[in-house]
Amino acid sequence: MKLRWNFADADVFHSKKNKIKMSSGQPLTDEDRLPWLCAIHEHLSRLSVARESGIVACSALKRKYRDILCYGLKSMERNDLEENTPNTKLDLHFVHLTGSKSILESRLQNRLGHFMPVTLLESQLETLEELASDELGISVNVEKSVESQVNEIIAELGLML
């Protein structure tokens, strides 16, 4: 809450069907994730139109997922991406949280009542694509204290309090 920005956990954008699928230990497919990503894009678009800043905590594991967050469904058409003007792309900065598999497992085990079981971590790590050099964003190690992580993010992204 240090920035006083709108915050959303992307889990609220998942369909009941997706939550049930993950709860049963089945990883989501790209097709499963598409409506979820579009819903997050719409949320971010509304914030942009209202000239509000916001944070969405989500696992945008692949470049194409992050492109959907920035461009919406237009990102699915490769030619259209090259012709987009800056006004059609949301100004998003990604924060890629990194950490050892054991730390991530520990954090997932301590998420009481969450629909995603620890057993899906492996498939998420296999799916993960690091931020590309042309994506706005930073990587932050989660093994630091939360306060250190927040301060690093604020400093690296040049945010003013």
Side-chain angles (χ1 to χ4, degrees):
M1 299 314 315
K2 200 169 195 174
L3 293 173
R4 301 183 198 276
W5 286 3
N6 179 301
F7 175 82
D9 185 323
D11 287 344
V12 301
F13 299 100
H14 272 300
S15 67
K16 186 174 183 175
K17 180 181 170 186
N18 280 359
K19 290 177 183 178
I20 291 169
K21 185 173 184 176
M22 286 185 277
S23 292
S24 71
Q26 296 177 61
L28 297 180
T29 64
D30 288 351
E31 193 174 293
D32 293 328
R33 285 187 176 100
L34 186 59
W36 174 70
L37 292 164
C38 288
I40 297 168
H41 171 77
E42 287 303 314
H43 168 74
L44 293 168
S45 294
R46 284 190 297 275
L47 289 176
S48 179
V49 167
R51 298 182 186 260
E52 294 180 23
S53 296
I55 297 169
V56 176
C58 76
S59 52
L61 300 171
K62 294 182 180 181
R63 169 63 185 259
K64 68 180 177 180
Y65 301 167
R66 296 186 294 271
D67 284 346
I68 293 169
L69 295 178
C70 290
Y71 295 98
L73 287 178
K74 290 180 182 179
S75 70
M76 304 285 285
E77 303 164 15
R78 291 306 272 162
N79 294 336
D80 190 42
L81 263 184
E82 295 163 10
E83 296 172 13
N84 272 309
T85 63
N87 293 335
T88 62
K89 179 182 185 244
L90 294 177
D91 183 23
L92 303 183
H93 297 257
F94 295 99
V95 177
H96 174 200
L97 300 176
T98 63
S100 68
K101 184 177 177 184
S102 62
I103 290 285
L104 299 175
E105 283 175 338
S106 170
R107 300 256 173 108
L108 288 172
Q109 287 168 344
N110 291 321
R111 278 171 71 171
L112 301 177
H114 196 271
F115 57 83
M116 189 187 116
V118 176
T119 55
L120 287 180
L121 176 61
E122 190 65 39
S123 69
Q124 292 227 320
L125 293 174
E126 289 170 4
T127 302
L128 179 64
E129 296 174 2
E130 304 274 332
L131 291 175
S133 61
D134 65 333
E135 291 180 280
L136 292 175
I138 60 170
S139 293
V140 176
N141 191 309
V142 298
E143 296 182 32
K144 300 174 184 175
S145 71
V146 171
E147 184 176 355
S148 293
Q149 292 173 58
V150 169
N151 290 336
E152 182 178 344
I153 292 165
I154 289 169
E156 288 291 324
L157 296 180
L159 304 174
M160 299 295 199
L161 295 181

PDB file of all heavy atoms in Angstrom, residues 53-71:
ATOM      1  N   SER A  53      -3.175   4.604 -11.662  1.00  0.00           N
ATOM      2  CA  SER A  53      -2.102   3.608 -11.648  1.00  0.00           C
ATOM      3  C   SER A  53      -2.578   2.394 -10.880  1.00  0.00           C
ATOM      4  O   SER A  53      -3.416   2.497  -9.981  1.00  0.00           O
ATOM      5  CB  SER A  53      -0.856   4.189 -10.978  1.00  0.00           C
ATOM      6  OG  SER A  53      -0.360   5.276 -11.730  1.00  0.00           O
ATOM      7  N   GLY A  54      -2.057   1.249 -11.242  1.00  0.00           N
ATOM      8  CA  GLY A  54      -2.476   0.034 -10.566  1.00  0.00           C
ATOM      9  C   GLY A  54      -1.428  -1.050 -10.626  1.00  0.00           C
ATOM     10  O   GLY A  54      -0.471  -0.982 -11.406  1.00  0.00           O
ATOM     11  N   ILE A  55      -1.624  -2.028  -9.785  1.00  0.00           N
ATOM     12  CA  ILE A  55      -0.763  -3.208  -9.720  1.00  0.00           C
ATOM     13  C   ILE A  55      -1.662  -4.424  -9.821  1.00  0.00           C
ATOM     14  O   ILE A  55      -2.693  -4.495  -9.148  1.00  0.00           O
ATOM     15  CB  ILE A  55       0.014  -3.254  -8.383  1.00  0.00           C
ATOM     16  CG1 ILE A  55       0.938  -2.047  -8.269  1.00  0.00           C
ATOM     17  CG2 ILE A  55       0.796  -4.562  -8.252  1.00  0.00           C
ATOM     18  CD1 ILE A  55       1.541  -1.864  -6.887  1.00  0.00           C
ATOM     19  N   VAL A  56      -1.275  -5.372 -10.668  1.00  0.00           N
ATOM     20  CA  VAL A  56      -1.978  -6.647 -10.741  1.00  0.00           C
ATOM     21  C   VAL A  56      -0.946  -7.733 -10.472  1.00  0.00           C
ATOM     22  O   VAL A  56       0.060  -7.832 -11.176  1.00  0.00           O
ATOM     23  CB  VAL A  56      -2.639  -6.880 -12.127  1.00  0.00           C
ATOM     24  CG1 VAL A  56      -3.265  -8.262 -12.193  1.00  0.00           C
ATOM     25  CG2 VAL A  56      -3.667  -5.809 -12.413  1.00  0.00           C
ATOM     26  N   ALA A  57      -1.187  -8.520  -9.443  1.00  0.00           N
ATOM     27  CA  ALA A  57      -0.312  -9.644  -9.124  1.00  0.00           C
ATOM     28  C   ALA A  57      -0.796 -10.838  -9.932  1.00  0.00           C
ATOM     29  O   ALA A  57      -1.917 -11.310  -9.727  1.00  0.00           O
ATOM     30  CB  ALA A  57      -0.363  -9.945  -7.629  1.00  0.00           C
ATOM     31  N   CYS A  58       0.015 -11.262 -10.891  1.00  0.00           N
ATOM     32  CA  CYS A  58      -0.403 -12.402 -11.710  1.00  0.00           C
ATOM     33  C   CYS A  58       0.805 -13.142 -12.254  1.00  0.00           C
ATOM     34  O   CYS A  58       1.920 -12.633 -12.251  1.00  0.00           O
ATOM     35  CB  CYS A  58      -1.311 -11.949 -12.848  1.00  0.00           C
ATOM     36  SG  CYS A  58      -0.490 -11.142 -14.217  1.00  0.00           S
ATOM     37  N   SER A  59       0.547 -14.347 -12.722  1.00  0.00           N
ATOM     38  CA  SER A  59       1.607 -15.161 -13.307  1.00  0.00           C
ATOM     39  C   SER A  59       1.497 -15.098 -14.826  1.00  0.00           C
ATOM     40  O   SER A  59       0.994 -16.013 -15.456  1.00  0.00           O
ATOM     41  CB  SER A  59       1.521 -16.604 -12.798  1.00  0.00           C
ATOM     42  OG  SER A  59       0.214 -17.106 -12.994  1.00  0.00           O
ATOM     43  N   ALA A  60       1.963 -13.991 -15.379  1.00  0.00           N
ATOM     44  CA  ALA A  60       2.017 -13.843 -16.839  1.00  0.00           C
ATOM     45  C   ALA A  60       3.312 -14.532 -17.284  1.00  0.00           C
ATOM     46  O   ALA A  60       4.328 -13.895 -17.540  1.00  0.00           O
ATOM     47  CB  ALA A  60       1.993 -12.368 -17.219  1.00  0.00           C
ATOM     48  N   LEU A  61       3.242 -15.846 -17.350  1.00  0.00           N
ATOM     49  CA  LEU A  61       4.432 -16.674 -17.489  1.00  0.00           C
ATOM     50  C   LEU A  61       5.130 -16.577 -18.842  1.00  0.00           C
ATOM     51  O   LEU A  61       6.340 -16.732 -18.921  1.00  0.00           O
ATOM     52  CB  LEU A  61       4.066 -18.141 -17.235  1.00  0.00           C
ATOM     53  CG  LEU A  61       3.475 -18.452 -15.851  1.00  0.00           C
ATOM     54  CD1 LEU A  61       2.956 -19.878 -15.814  1.00  0.00           C
ATOM     55  CD2 LEU A  61       4.502 -18.213 -14.767  1.00  0.00           C
ATOM     56  N   LYS A  62       4.372 -16.358 -19.902  1.00  0.00           N
ATOM     57  CA  LYS A  62       4.932 -16.335 -21.251  1.00  0.00           C
ATOM     58  C   LYS A  62       4.899 -14.930 -21.833  1.00  0.00           C
ATOM     59  O   LYS A  62       4.056 -14.116 -21.478  1.00  0.00           O
ATOM     60  CB  LYS A  62       4.132 -17.249 -22.186  1.00  0.00           C
ATOM     61  CG  LYS A  62       4.213 -18.711 -21.874  1.00  0.00           C
ATOM     62  CD  LYS A  62       3.410 -19.496 -22.903  1.00  0.00           C
ATOM     63  CE  LYS A  62       3.436 -20.985 -22.656  1.00  0.00           C
ATOM     64  NZ  LYS A  62       2.668 -21.710 -23.694  1.00  0.00           N
ATOM     65  N   ARG A  63       5.780 -14.697 -22.779  1.00  0.00           N
ATOM     66  CA  ARG A  63       5.806 -13.410 -23.479  1.00  0.00           C
ATOM     67  C   ARG A  63       4.441 -13.130 -24.116  1.00  0.00           C
ATOM     68  O   ARG A  63       3.932 -12.014 -24.034  1.00  0.00           O
ATOM     69  CB  ARG A  63       6.916 -13.426 -24.543  1.00  0.00           C
ATOM     70  CG  ARG A  63       6.894 -12.256 -25.518  1.00  0.00           C
ATOM     71  CD  ARG A  63       7.125 -10.938 -24.777  1.00  0.00           C
ATOM     72  NE  ARG A  63       7.003  -9.781 -25.630  1.00  0.00           N
ATOM     73  CZ  ARG A  63       8.028  -9.123 -26.134  1.00  0.00           C
ATOM     74  NH1 ARG A  63       9.262  -9.522 -25.910  1.00  0.00           N
ATOM     75  NH2 ARG A  63       7.831  -8.055 -26.868  1.00  0.00           N
ATOM     76  N   LYS A  64       3.849 -14.144 -24.733  1.00  0.00           N
ATOM     77  CA  LYS A  64       2.572 -13.888 -25.400  1.00  0.00           C
ATOM     78  C   LYS A  64       1.479 -13.519 -24.394  1.00  0.00           C
ATOM     79  O   LYS A  64       0.570 -12.771 -24.719  1.00  0.00           O
ATOM     80  CB  LYS A  64       2.157 -15.040 -26.309  1.00  0.00           C
ATOM     81  CG  LYS A  64       1.786 -16.323 -25.644  1.00  0.00           C
ATOM     82  CD  LYS A  64       1.419 -17.333 -26.739  1.00  0.00           C
ATOM     83  CE  LYS A  64       1.093 -18.687 -26.192  1.00  0.00           C
ATOM     84  NZ  LYS A  64       0.741 -19.610 -27.279  1.00  0.00           N
ATOM     85  N   TYR A  65       1.576 -14.008 -23.161  1.00  0.00           N
ATOM     86  CA  TYR A  65       0.614 -13.609 -22.133  1.00  0.00           C
ATOM     87  C   TYR A  65       0.806 -12.131 -21.790  1.00  0.00           C
ATOM     88  O   TYR A  65      -0.159 -11.382 -21.630  1.00  0.00           O
ATOM     89  CB  TYR A  65       0.773 -14.421 -20.851  1.00  0.00           C
ATOM     90  CG  TYR A  65       0.608 -15.919 -20.972  1.00  0.00           C
ATOM     91  CD1 TYR A  65       0.994 -16.741 -19.921  1.00  0.00           C
ATOM     92  CD2 TYR A  65       0.071 -16.530 -22.103  1.00  0.00           C
ATOM     93  CE1 TYR A  65       0.847 -18.112 -19.985  1.00  0.00           C
ATOM     94  CE2 TYR A  65      -0.069 -17.896 -22.174  1.00  0.00           C
ATOM     95  CZ  TYR A  65       0.331 -18.689 -21.114  1.00  0.00           C
ATOM     96  OH  TYR A  65       0.184 -20.052 -21.184  1.00  0.00           O
ATOM     97  N   ARG A  66       2.058 -11.729 -21.660  1.00  0.00           N
ATOM     98  CA  ARG A  66       2.350 -10.327 -21.335  1.00  0.00           C
ATOM     99  C   ARG A  66       1.943  -9.415 -22.491  1.00  0.00           C
ATOM    100  O   ARG A  66       1.471  -8.304 -22.271  1.00  0.00           O
ATOM    101  CB  ARG A  66       3.820 -10.183 -20.955  1.00  0.00           C
ATOM    102  CG  ARG A  66       4.157 -10.966 -19.678  1.00  0.00           C
ATOM    103  CD  ARG A  66       5.561 -10.742 -19.174  1.00  0.00           C
ATOM    104  NE  ARG A  66       6.612 -11.240 -20.034  1.00  0.00           N
ATOM    105  CZ  ARG A  66       7.126 -12.480 -19.982  1.00  0.00           C
ATOM    106  NH1 ARG A  66       6.664 -13.367 -19.108  1.00  0.00           N
ATOM    107  NH2 ARG A  66       8.100 -12.832 -20.795  1.00  0.00           N
ATOM    108  N   ASP A  67       2.090  -9.905 -23.727  1.00  0.00           N
ATOM    109  CA  ASP A  67       1.630  -9.127 -24.883  1.00  0.00           C
ATOM    110  C   ASP A  67       0.116  -8.932 -24.836  1.00  0.00           C
ATOM    111  O   ASP A  67      -0.393  -7.857 -25.157  1.00  0.00           O
ATOM    112  CB  ASP A  67       2.025  -9.811 -26.193  1.00  0.00           C
ATOM    113  CG  ASP A  67       3.498  -9.645 -26.540  1.00  0.00           C
ATOM    114  OD1 ASP A  67       4.171  -8.794 -25.922  1.00  0.00           O
ATOM    115  OD2 ASP A  67       3.971 -10.370 -27.438  1.00  0.00           O
ATOM    116  N   ILE A  68      -0.619  -9.966 -24.430  1.00  0.00           N
ATOM    117  CA  ILE A  68      -2.077  -9.826 -24.312  1.00  0.00           C
ATOM    118  C   ILE A  68      -2.413  -8.800 -23.235  1.00  0.00           C
ATOM    119  O   ILE A  68      -3.329  -7.990 -23.403  1.00  0.00           O
ATOM    120  CB  ILE A  68      -2.756 -11.188 -24.028  1.00  0.00           C
ATOM    121  CG1 ILE A  68      -2.613 -12.106 -25.253  1.00  0.00           C
ATOM    122  CG2 ILE A  68      -4.221 -10.997 -23.649  1.00  0.00           C
ATOM    123  CD1 ILE A  68      -3.007 -13.545 -25.011  1.00  0.00           C
ATOM    124  N   LEU A  69      -1.669  -8.795 -22.144  1.00  0.00           N
ATOM    125  CA  LEU A  69      -1.916  -7.795 -21.103  1.00  0.00           C
ATOM    126  C   LEU A  69      -1.688  -6.381 -21.639  1.00  0.00           C
ATOM    127  O   LEU A  69      -2.424  -5.459 -21.299  1.00  0.00           O
ATOM    128  CB  LEU A  69      -1.032  -8.046 -19.882  1.00  0.00           C
ATOM    129  CG  LEU A  69      -1.299  -9.339 -19.114  1.00  0.00           C
ATOM    130  CD1 LEU A  69      -0.321  -9.480 -17.960  1.00  0.00           C
ATOM    131  CD2 LEU A  69      -2.734  -9.425 -18.640  1.00  0.00           C
ATOM    132  N   CYS A  70      -0.695  -6.223 -22.499  1.00  0.00           N
ATOM    133  CA  CYS A  70      -0.379  -4.895 -23.065  1.00  0.00           C
ATOM    134  C   CYS A  70      -1.326  -4.491 -24.187  1.00  0.00           C
ATOM    135  O   CYS A  70      -1.755  -3.338 -24.248  1.00  0.00           O
ATOM    136  CB  CYS A  70       1.047  -4.883 -23.611  1.00  0.00           C
ATOM    137  SG  CYS A  70       2.329  -4.938 -22.361  1.00  0.00           S
ATOM    138  N   TYR A  71      -1.611  -5.409 -25.103  1.00  0.00           N
ATOM    139  CA  TYR A  71      -2.334  -5.084 -26.338  1.00  0.00           C
ATOM    140  C   TYR A  71      -3.744  -5.654 -26.416  1.00  0.00           C
ATOM    141  O   TYR A  71      -4.480  -5.339 -27.345  1.00  0.00           O
ATOM    142  CB  TYR A  71      -1.572  -5.612 -27.553  1.00  0.00           C
ATOM    143  CG  TYR A  71      -0.244  -4.985 -27.805  1.00  0.00           C
ATOM    144  CD1 TYR A  71       0.929  -5.592 -27.376  1.00  0.00           C
ATOM    145  CD2 TYR A  71      -0.146  -3.779 -28.496  1.00  0.00           C
ATOM    146  CE1 TYR A  71       2.165  -5.022 -27.623  1.00  0.00           C
ATOM    147  CE2 TYR A  71       1.081  -3.203 -28.753  1.00  0.00           C
ATOM    148  CZ  TYR A  71       2.232  -3.830 -28.311  1.00  0.00           C
ATOM    149  OH  TYR A  71       3.451  -3.254 -28.560  1.00  0.00           O
TER     150      TYR A  71
END
